[in-house]
Amino acid sequence: MKDRMFCKVLSNVEIAKDIHKLEIERIDGFGEIKPGQFLHIKCGGEGLLLRRPISISYIEKDRIGLIIRRAGKGTKLLCDKKVGETLDVLGPLGNGFSIDDEVEKVIVIGGGIGTAPLLELVKSLKGKDIAVLLGYRDEPYLVDDFEQWVKGVKVATEDGSFGYKGYVTDLLEEEIKNNRVDIIYACGPEIMLKKVQDICNRYKKKSQLSIEERMACGVGACLVCTCKVKAEEKGVKYVRTCKDGPVFWGDEVMFHE
Ligand SMILES: Cc1cc2nc3c(=O)[nH]c(=O)nc-3n(C[C@H](O)[C@H](O)[C@H](O)COP(=O)(O)OP(=O)(O)OC[C@H]3O[C@@H](n4cnc5c(N)ncnc54)[C@H](O)[C@@H]3O)c2cc1C
Ligand code: FES
């Protein structure tokens, strides 16, 4: 069981409409952090007992960066945190992405708030040949942060206000068709991940997908976050997104019908 930790908010900046970059103290209790892991955060507020899972976006010596979308009551409270306030967090939780030293050519693809955990992943993939594809409905964010690590980040917006007009998965197909690719790492809404899975199946490419399920305990005890994956013998097994995931191999994930 992970201990609760209390970390001060060091900064809070709205980087796009309803998207906040919150930096919190990185205290010793966090220990080692893998890209793709998340923190389970108490939001405060009356009647809001359950914590909310938020990915670790990037790690620096003294701080952890979180990118939070104002989605509902809990994330609104987090977006409104003031510098100097203390957050009650559990973590790092989940398995995170696994990185194979042998792999050379990598595509990292993110959609919306799912771009957040890919920043630390890209930092950890340093030395590999990386293509970064980022998709948004309209206003992009974090693009400059990715550009610091990988030149030539490609952006797609659904309304065409920035970069390619259309879905980021169109860019993925182009990239796979025209280049050698060893693995694809993806995080984003389920509809995007399904398309990534489909493209990877068609082109016989390996992928790791970070999936989202609603969570309660965040540590594998309550089974609220179960999802179906393929299993060798019985064909199907149920796993806990919080503890066994949130990152799964693309060919094992069984999305909701
Ligand atoms: C492993 C993991 C990592 C995440 N990382 C981030 C992150 O880095 N930044 C970020 O902003 N959000 C992230 N999320 C999503 C975030 O946890 C939800 O948006 C949040 O829990 C919603 O809580 P709320 O009280 O604001 O909204 P609620 O009032 O509970 O719900 C508002 C809306 O959000 C939807 N929602 C609630 N929970 C989820 C969920 N788990 N996944 C998708 N939709 C949900 C609801 O269906 C509803 O439409 C992550 C989720 C998971 C599982
Ligand atoms: S949230 Fe309780 S088991 Fe995953």
Side-chain angles (χ1 to χ4, degrees):
M1 185 72 172
K2 292 273 177 185
D3 290 332
R4 284 167 75 185
M5 281 177 289
F6 297 90
C7 315
K8 278 218 163 65
V9 175
L10 302 177
S11 67
N12 180 356
V13 179
E14 189 174 24
I15 55 170
K17 189 171 180 311
D18 291 335
I19 307 288
H20 283 243
K21 182 189 273 190
L22 227 76
E23 291 190 327
I24 63 168
E25 262 180 309
R26 179 182 181 185
I27 55 173
D28 289 345
F30 283 120
E32 200 197 328
I33 304 175
K34 276 182 77 179
Q37 288 190 301
F38 65 93
L39 299 180
H40 213 24
I41 309 180
K42 225 179 167 90
C43 304
E46 290 225 343
L48 210 66
L49 295 176
L50 293 179
R51 292 168 182 271
R52 297 294 190 261
I54 299 292
S55 305
I56 293 167
S57 177
Y58 60 90
I59 311 158
E60 285 175 14
K61 201 161 160 253
D62 61 339
R63 61 194 61 214
I64 288 178
L66 309 172
I67 310 298
I68 306 179
R69 182 172 70 93
R70 208 181 269 273
K73 212 170 165 189
T75 46
K76 179 181 179 314
L77 286 163
L78 292 179
C79 287
D80 289 341
K81 294 286 174 197
K82 301 270 178 293
V83 172
E85 272 189 74
T86 301
L87 283 189
D88 174 343
V89 304
L90 280 182
L93 301 176
N95 57 355
F97 292 101
S98 48
I99 298 173
D100 181 348
D101 289 343
E102 306 294 305
V103 158
E104 286 170 13
K105 170 73 197 178
V106 176
I107 296 179
V108 173
I109 173 170
I113 202 68
T115 52
L118 302 177
L119 197 50
E120 188 59 33
L121 174 69
V122 161
K123 284 167 67 181
S124 309
L125 290 167
K126 205 167 164 226
K128 302 197 186 286
D129 182 356
I130 314 169
V132 175
L133 314 175
L134 306 176
Y136 305 88
R137 258 194 207 137
D138 39 47
E139 191 185 3
Y141 43 88
L142 291 185
V143 179
D144 291 346
D145 302 69
F146 278 97
E147 280 276 352
Q148 281 183 17
W149 301 96
V150 177
K151 292 294 162 225
V153 170
K154 290 187 183 156
V155 178
T157 49
E158 288 176 37
D159 68 354
S161 57
F162 195 94
Y164 169 80
K165 182 175 191 304
Y167 295 116
V168 67
T169 42
D170 301 343
L171 300 179
L172 174 66
E173 189 147 9
E174 277 306 298
E175 196 72 31
I176 289 186
K177 257 194 234 163
N178 298 324
N179 298 291
R180 190 192 125 198
V181 178
D182 298 324
I183 188 164
I184 292 107
Y185 293 101
C187 185
E190 185 166 313
I191 187 157
M192 183 202 104
L193 295 180
K194 273 184 184 165
K195 283 193 188 172
V196 171
Q197 188 187 51
D198 177 51
I199 293 169
C200 292
N201 285 345
R202 268 192 282 129
Y203 289 89
K204 300 196 172 21
K205 299 292 176 195
K206 278 200 300 188
S207 64
Q208 287 181 23
L209 310 180
S210 179
I211 67 168
E212 268 199 23
E213 287 289 342
R214 272 189 170 268
M215 291 183 182
C217 72
V219 293
C222 72
L223 306 185
V224 158
C225 65
T226 48
C227 68
K228 263 198 292 189
V229 295
K230 288 183 191 149
E232 270 172 30
E233 282 165 21
K234 286 190 188 160
V236 171
K237 68 177 177 184
Y238 287 88
V239 291
R240 297 157 303 177
T241 308
C242 66
K243 181 108 180 168
D244 307 309
V247 180
F248 295 96
W249 286 103
D251 57 1
E252 65 176 354
V253 175
M254 297 175 77
F255 287 109
H256 305 111
E257 302 285 303

